[in-house]
Amino acid sequence: MYRSHTNGELRIENANQEVTLAGWVQKSRDKGFMVWVDLRDRYGITQLIFDEDRTAKEILDKAKTLGREFVIQVKGTVIEREAKNKNIPTGEIEVLVKELIILNEANLPPFTIEDETDGGEDIRMKYRYLDIRRNPVKNNLIFRSKVAQEVRNYLSNQDFIEVETPYLIKSTPEGARDFVVPSRMNQGEFYALPQSPQTFKQLLMVGGMDKYFQIVKCFRDEDLRADRQPEFTQIDCELAFVDQEDILNIFEGMTRHLLQKVNNITIGDFPRMTYEHAMKTYGNDKPDIRFGMEFGELNSVAQQKEFKVFNDAELVVGIAVPGAANYTRKEIDKLIEWVKRPQVGALGMVYVKCNEDGTFKSSVDKFYNQEDLAAWAKATGAKAGDLICVLSGPANKTRAQLSALRMELAERLGLRKPTEFAPLWVVDFPLLEWDEESERFHAMHHPFTSPKPEDMPLLDTDPGKVRANAYDLVLNGNEIGGGSIRIHDKETQALMFKHLGFTPEEAKEQFGFLMNAFEYGAPPHGGLAFGLDRLVAILGGQETIRDFIAFPKNNSGRDVMINAPAEVTAEVLSDLNINVTIPKA
Amino acid sequence: MYRSHTNGELRIENANQEVTLAGWVQKSRDKGFMVWVDLRDRYGITQLIFDEDRTAKEILDKAKTLGREFVIQVKGTVIEREAKNKNIPTGEIEVLVKELIILNEANLPPFTIEDETDGGEDIRMKYRYLDIRRNPVKNNLIFRSKVAQEVRNYLSNQDFIEVETPYLIKSTPEGARDFVVPSRMNQGEFYALPQSPQTFKQLLMVGGMDKYFQIVKCFRDEDLRADRQPEFTQIDCELAFVDQEDILNIFEGMTRHLLQKVNNITIGDFPRMTYEHAMKTYGNDKPDIRFGMEFGELNSVAQQKEFKVFNDAELVVGIAVPGAANYTRKEIDKLIEWVKRPQVGALGMVYVKCNEDGTFKSSVDKFYNQEDLAAWAKATGAKAGDLICVLSGPANKTRAQLSALRMELAERLGLRKPTEFAPLWVVDFPLLEWDEESERFHAMHHPFTSPKPEDMPLLDTDPGKVRANAYDLVLNGNEIGGGSIRIHDKETQALMFKHLGFTPEEAKEQFGFLMNAFEYGAPPHGGLAFGLDRLVAILGGQETIRDFIAFPKNNSGRDVMINAPAEVTAEVLSDLNINVTIPKA
């Protein structure tokens, strides 16, 4: 027992108790005749006091030698503080020290162990074990643990069984790139690390497990975009004998449970929105609905005049930016520059200021009169004081551009409040999407996703219009989960493969053993998967997943702390029967 | 909603209710005018009845077409059964079917989906998704899920934080072989899959996480012995500011919690036994103490006569086999053959029958009189009716041989009862073990394991005698967990490296970044890890871990269901900058 109490535990009620504490020296103040030390551990900070009247000289002298981040153990008496600190729970007391043991010295850390540190990202990642001592990182990890445990509590109470699926599986040619693992015992052969347990969870349904979940690491060897990790964590779920409605209800319940338990927020029924509606209204299949700025389509009111740009466009669409009518010319020009950045790609932007006096001032006054612009304001819901931003062009591209602008403006206007939560379901995703390159339809989700029965006839006439029983759970503009009802009967599956351009032989080759399994009595089933890293970050009011991962990798897939990946010895390669084909650096 | 109830749910109280059920056809009996179907799902079996008086003809006819493992949905009325089945919870009712939908047909399964199946191991592994439908496998997986959830409940209640450590880490030259993962983005470099999160959990302690746990997959590329898996699951734990006693108490509590929650068994304080005592008394550092047969050392009573074999032996040691005095000569000869098998390796066995009349009959009557043999009986605790088995030779080898014999006899005598649980701690493991090959001492646990302070002086004089603060939790003759207090101060660590024959430079090279981390204020810490696969198997009253893994690999490390590992395409290899160095088969 190195301690009788943690450093977050003592209160005024403990006054006069003899206690033993241990922890790190957060900071010390040496007044000569008196030394104060803030002693820190995971649970909090307790102030220690050494003084020449009440502490033995050699202890006081030793206290003067303590450096930041030294690990110490003290015995002493809890006393009431003269100057109380209302900011910390232990702020009413301090510990008058009688014994001091230095358990371990510490080099000066390369950055300050404070909430606001002086260390940049790179140095903090290299010394991540010191970064974790800082409250923001530590609290994120504790928060993550709590979210995971609450997920398990909820699903276990709903009769879900957590089943561990294998990590050493088989590489599949489709989809994203696998990480592969050479097998020493099976020469020339490789395992693959799972991109998700999709196949195994469907097999568990064939196996009658009925309700499965797993919190599981998945792996994807992609060129890393910002805030993607080569290894990431999924809450993976699958259920048998359910339809879409059952799944939405259960996982809406889970999300509500999490919001209640970890954020102390009660949320009612989640709105449901079709994919089509989301795209038309927000230009995005994961809309942030914490704020308005819904799209107003202006074709009917903007294409009757001489403005060729709009007349030639497939879509003219605008949003009303609340209270932005007073933007200066310079501010608006900057906005126009912003939408013209290659990442957004608009060719320009038309704007209308809705003046407080009810008049309008636009960048296209040459073509449109006040009545025209009033119609625009009506279509976009703009009120006096708002700024209407209008983009035009091909429908899909223009929607995506306006969506980017909408999110950017919401961010600037402080409308994306991290403590406000607005979940919704986006449903009725298209079953198929056209691939320009191969000039055929591909499954948007995967080839086992079930089409909506009522849309089946469209498969022959207008495949792009067929909707799937596929759904995403969206929270504050982020997709936090998604899934689908799977096809479980041979006839639909055969039809599906036909429309995806597979011969029966090709289908067998690519999806062989899952299709085999389906021959032995597959139940109706479906499921979904949540991205735990993102879910935790968003519940934690942040969007950077790296801040919620204990030991993340950088954008080159490196762990800079342990310096991985690294070269391996010739002996290792020889055991595995592989060669590296590039010369050593 | 495919069902209003599961197939394990309906009782006599539900009589006359209209219900919808779904599941698999376990079996059907067709009496012509009447058809019974056992409908199965994860939750149980419900009997369906179709008859010509009460069921529409086309439904009855359809029922006659149902094959084993067809997936069906029925609507009907719950009625009381005429012939009740006391063996199943739903045995008082049946469902009179009005509607029948065949959700999916099924090929005849390659083995019967029954508790006692006709399928051998190989075919069941190939069709594991069908094997999982069988109660024994299904129940094992449900049991595993429950154990894992109870572990999490217990540790979370004790303020442990579950932290996910990375799977893509760095290969280390020591220890068992790593699985490695070529990095595409870092040409010529490799990640390794973790053999355990040892380094990371110690870094989390340096990072102040205080109490860490994780249920985590680990990987070891070993030549697989029976019942070893290349990927296995650990309950990995580490704590700061604790001594050995704290750790033993917490994890004894956890094990007691599991026995209570999943086995409904209350167990008091766990015995603690030193490594030395375990080796002398059971010849084994993981003794099964559910039964006696403790070793009796016979040197003092057997080496005073003319029997050269014993006189030349370092150790003469025996066990009393209860009630085995009536073994026939043939049975005893078989036992002698058994100990002479190469896997055991004894050169022979001496025996003494303790007759009911108090006399003794031994295989060495030529050398020993009744009084001598009575002394042997006393030393081994043999009573009238017992058989004393005696082995001799070099001490360590002989103890191992006698331990093997003891376990074998206990198995044959039915003393290893799967529903009886006898946990114990084995403590005071040696710090170092002599390696014949390199002719130097190696760390028995790892180089960061703390020696007992009181044994430190022996490091210079008799290193093999130094005991470590290392401990194993043993359950029914299996090591289910083990760990140690780590060294946290520089002086002890430097001394340790010196005695292990490392120069400071070598130590830095091999254990570099962990030693670096230790420069920044490492707290006293220690931990342990449980093997979840084995723990679950033993709590489940079995010893084969494969039966508690959803998708296990065979002894060649293959998943025969998905046929992994497998060759990958030349494109994959080229992306990864590696070549396979053997010709394709």
Side-chain angles (χ1 to χ4, degrees), chain A residues 25-55:
Chain A
V25 172
Q26 174 77 23
K27 63 177 180 204
S28 65
R29 280 166 295 154
D30 182 356
K31 295 276 181 191
F33 61 97
M34 209 174 256
V35 173
W36 286 275
V37 169
D38 277 357
L39 188 66
R40 187 196 70 233
D41 63 12
R42 187 183 110 194
Y43 310 93
I45 282 181
T46 299
Q47 181 168 291
L48 311 178
I49 180 167
F50 306 74
D51 81 37
E52 58 184 8
D53 294 334
R54 295 176 291 177
T55 307

Side-chain angles (χ1 to χ4, degrees), chain A residues 289-488:
Chain A
I289 57 168
R290 283 176 295 182
F291 53 93
M293 289 202 260
E294 294 179 6
F295 288 12
E297 297 198 354
L298 305 178
N299 288 31
S300 62
V301 291
Q303 290 185 325
Q304 84 285 38
K305 292 296 170 71
E306 300 304 303
F307 188 44
K308 191 168 165 11
V309 174
F310 281 5
N311 292 351
D312 290 349
E314 185 187 354
L315 178 70
V316 183
V317 61
I319 51 173
V321 187
N326 58 359
Y327 274 24
T328 62
R329 176 72 218 196
K330 204 171 157 191
E331 283 173 311
I332 291 175
D333 279 348
K334 274 193 164 175
L335 221 49
I336 294 173
E337 283 314 304
W338 193 90
V339 298
K340 288 164 86 173
R341 298 186 322 152
Q343 300 94 315
V344 183
L347 295 175
M349 185 185 93
V350 164
Y351 68 87
V352 183
K353 290 181 167 190
C354 306
N355 297 319
E356 295 292 350
D357 64 4
T359 64
F360 301 96
K361 171 79 193 108
S362 83
S363 58
V364 285
D365 282 349
K366 192 155 51 157
F367 302 105
Y368 300 97
N369 60 29
Q370 292 288 310
E371 198 178 328
D372 295 332
L373 298 177
W376 295 19
K378 187 160 181 240
T380 57
K383 291 187 292 293
D386 291 356
L387 176 75
I388 305 173
C389 298
V390 182
L391 302 181
S392 63
N396 291 347
K397 269 193 187 165
T398 305
R399 287 193 177 112
Q401 291 159 359
L402 191 61
S403 171
L405 177 62
R406 175 178 177 269
M407 294 298 274
E408 173 68 16
L409 285 166
E411 197 73 70
R412 292 188 192 180
L413 294 168
L415 301 176
R416 306 195 65 201
K417 301 196 186 80
T419 54
E420 189 181 332
F421 294 94
L424 83 152
W425 288 105
V426 177
V427 298
D428 297 356
F429 274 79
L431 180 70
L432 305 168
E433 59 185 349
W434 183 256
D435 183 60
E436 298 286 350
E437 204 176 311
S438 58
E439 296 197 314
R440 61 183 181 89
F441 281 104
H442 282 261
M444 196 164 183
H445 200 65
H446 61 61
F448 293 95
T449 295
S450 173
K452 288 198 174 284
E454 63 269 33
D455 287 1
M456 293 285 287
L458 290 172
L459 266 177
D460 286 315
T461 57
D462 193 356
K465 282 263 186 285
V466 177
R467 294 164 305 163
N469 279 323
Y471 34 79
D472 276 357
L473 183 56
V474 174
L475 182 57
N476 295 2
N478 296 277
E479 180 206 324
I480 57 165
S484 69
I485 296 293
R486 329 298 180 188
I487 297 169
H488 69 276

